[in-house]
Amino acid sequence: MRMNTKSAFALASVLTLSLAACAGDEGDIDTGDEDAEDQTEEDANGDGAADDEGGEAAGEIESVDSITIGLVPATDSATEAEEENAEALAEQLSEALDGFEVEIFFADSYQGVISGMQSGDVQLVMSGPVGMIQAEDEADGTPILQSIRFGADTYVTQWFTNDPDTYCLDEPVADEDGYLFCNDIYDEDSGELAEYGPMGEDALELIEDGTPVAYVEEGSASGFYFPQTQLNELGVEVDPQFAGGHDDAVLNVYNGDFEIGTSFDDARTNIVDDNPDVGEELVVFAWAGPIPNDGIVASDEFTEDELEVLTDAWLSFADSGDLDEGDPLYDVYEINGLAEADEEALDVARQVYLDFGDE
């Protein structure tokens, strides 16, 4: 279910739901004794042996009564489809945790979900890499997983424009789906994109100081942190305007409200159903990155053992890397799979975040 920020945080205090079943239920323990009932009574009185290796609480989440996953929708507010997809994801995680209660909270911004983790109303944050670092720094969270898309654990910011005459230093070329690129980002002969990394920086230097840019929002790695860092390094000063979502940033440039904007690659596909010519009207002319993929951060309410339980639960349905439409994780954020968080890779996002903190 979707809740706004205020109502979700208020409601979270009364959403204290108990564990559906315990790992020590009678019938789940092989005692090796003919009198299983007597053995169960001994365990209840503390006289019986502990479960295998891990003790009585092995495999359980006991530090919290329920888990709330904090998400940020692609647009200003979650659509009905996004809500349904998120609920399906919550049910899938709950099932992997043997029925433990899992809820969904949609915030209006990345800071909203981080604030939820700070207050104890959100236990898992799904966020971009800078949001992950922010949750670690500001809410004492622990990054536990990162997304895999198309077999890769990195992605890029794409700079797009409705004015290719200004920002394309060569002739735009179309990929097999008709989406236009310039400045050597796409090789028409090989049919391949360039390797992830900074591209088109000569074109970015053509941006006049004070030009309004349709950024996504202030907490977005690909929609603000990385492209703004790139401009800072180039000495280009722009007027940042925040659209609120990746789709909105694309639409703002598509509709002519701005001449350039940023998003993850390739957010043009998100609005193509309603705007079939978006791939022709908007040309991707530069990249920033590479950026470590988004992921999942767990709150400091969990013990080390519980973090392992959570990680294993997610990986039980997402480590294949081949999730597609119909899989809840893919339907929520187009994630093909998950892998354990790579702290070294996240250092790239950490440095960008810290550099902004010094400004």
Side-chain angles (χ1 to χ4, degrees):
M1 58 183 167
R2 180 182 183 275
M3 301 171 278
N4 61 36
T5 306
K6 292 182 180 178
S7 63
F9 289 168
L11 187 57
S13 63
V14 295
L15 287 178
T16 317
L17 302 174
S18 60
L19 196 63
C22 294
D25 284 348
E26 182 179 357
D28 293 338
I29 302 174
D30 183 6
T31 65
D33 193 321
E34 293 181 2
D35 193 347
E37 182 175 349
D38 289 344
Q39 181 64 51
T40 303
E41 288 176 0
E42 286 180 6
D43 290 344
N45 292 325
D47 298 324
D51 288 349
D52 292 347
E53 296 184 7
E56 187 175 345
E60 296 181 8
I61 303 292
E62 295 188 328
S63 297
V64 296
D65 296 316
S66 64
I67 292 173
T68 297
I69 305 174
L71 306 174
V72 179
T75 54
D76 283 339
S77 60
T79 65
E80 183 178 349
E82 284 177 311
E83 291 174 1
E84 292 176 354
N85 294 336
E87 288 297 336
L89 178 61
E91 290 172 8
Q92 190 172 35
L93 179 60
S94 175
E95 183 177 345
L97 291 170
D98 296 327
F100 195 82
E101 188 71 25
V102 180
E103 298 283 338
I104 292 294
F105 162 59
F106 276 108
D108 296 331
S109 67
Y110 293 106
Q111 188 57 53
V113 291
I114 293 168
S115 296
M117 181 168 283
Q118 288 174 316
S119 67
D121 295 314
V122 170
Q123 285 71 46
L124 296 175
V125 167
M126 296 185 70
S127 177
V130 171
M132 293 175 70
I133 300 305
Q134 229 175 327
E136 183 182 48
D137 182 64
E138 298 179 12
D140 294 323
T142 300
I144 57 173
L145 295 155
Q146 281 179 263
S147 303
I148 301 296
R149 289 186 181 85
F150 309 108
D153 58 3
T154 60
Y155 69 117
V156 290
T157 292
Q158 64 176 20
W159 289 88
F160 46 85
T161 184
N162 54 27
D163 184 14
D165 291 341
T166 298
Y167 298 105
C168 286
L169 305 181
D170 56 14
E171 189 68 24
V173 294
D175 68 7
E176 60 182 5
D177 297 315
Y179 288 82
L180 291 176
F181 301 83
C182 65
N183 300 332
D184 296 323
I185 292 176
Y186 180 76
D187 187 317
E188 191 175 25
D189 293 332
S190 67
E192 295 182 355
L193 293 168
E195 290 187 10
Y196 277 174
M199 295 290 293
E201 293 194 326
D202 289 345
L204 291 173
E205 290 179 331
L206 298 176
I207 300 174
E208 295 183 3
D209 286 350
T211 297
V213 173
Y215 284 130
V216 176
E217 65 119 317
E218 291 171 284
S220 173
S222 60
F224 178 57
Y225 273 94
F226 275 80
Q228 183 60 53
T229 296
Q230 187 178 37
L231 292 187
N232 291 346
E233 293 172 349
L234 294 172
V236 178
E237 297 183 6
V238 298
D239 177 17
Q241 300 292 316
F242 298 102
H246 291 267
D247 295 6
D248 295 322
V250 175
L251 279 169
N252 282 346
V253 179
Y254 175 81
N255 292 331
D257 298 324
F258 300 88
E259 66 179 23
I260 55 177
T262 64
S263 71
F264 66 79
D265 63 305
D266 192 326
R268 292 178 295 179
T269 62
N270 284 16
I271 68 166
V272 70
D273 288 345
D274 295 327
N275 308 278
D277 61 345
V278 64
E280 301 169 14
E281 294 298 319
L282 296 187
V283 183
V284 171
F285 71 95
W287 276 352
I291 307 169
N293 277 358
D294 54 321
I296 301 171
V297 180
S299 79
D300 65 354
E301 299 169 87
F302 299 109
T303 66
E304 288 294 326
D305 288 342
E306 289 171 339
L307 290 177
E308 185 175 348
V309 170
L310 285 168
T311 300
D312 290 344
W314 285 100
L315 292 177
S316 70
F317 57 83
D319 69 346
S320 65
D322 60 1
L323 303 182
D324 207 337
E325 288 185 24
D327 293 302
L329 196 59
Y330 182 91
D331 292 340
V332 169
Y333 280 148
E334 295 186 352
I335 295 172
N336 297 122
L338 292 171
E340 292 191 39
D342 184 340
E343 283 291 333
E344 186 175 342
L346 284 171
D347 281 343
V348 176
R350 184 173 289 107
Q351 190 58 55
V352 169
Y353 171 70
L354 292 175
D355 287 346
F356 266 80
D358 292 337
E359 290 185 354

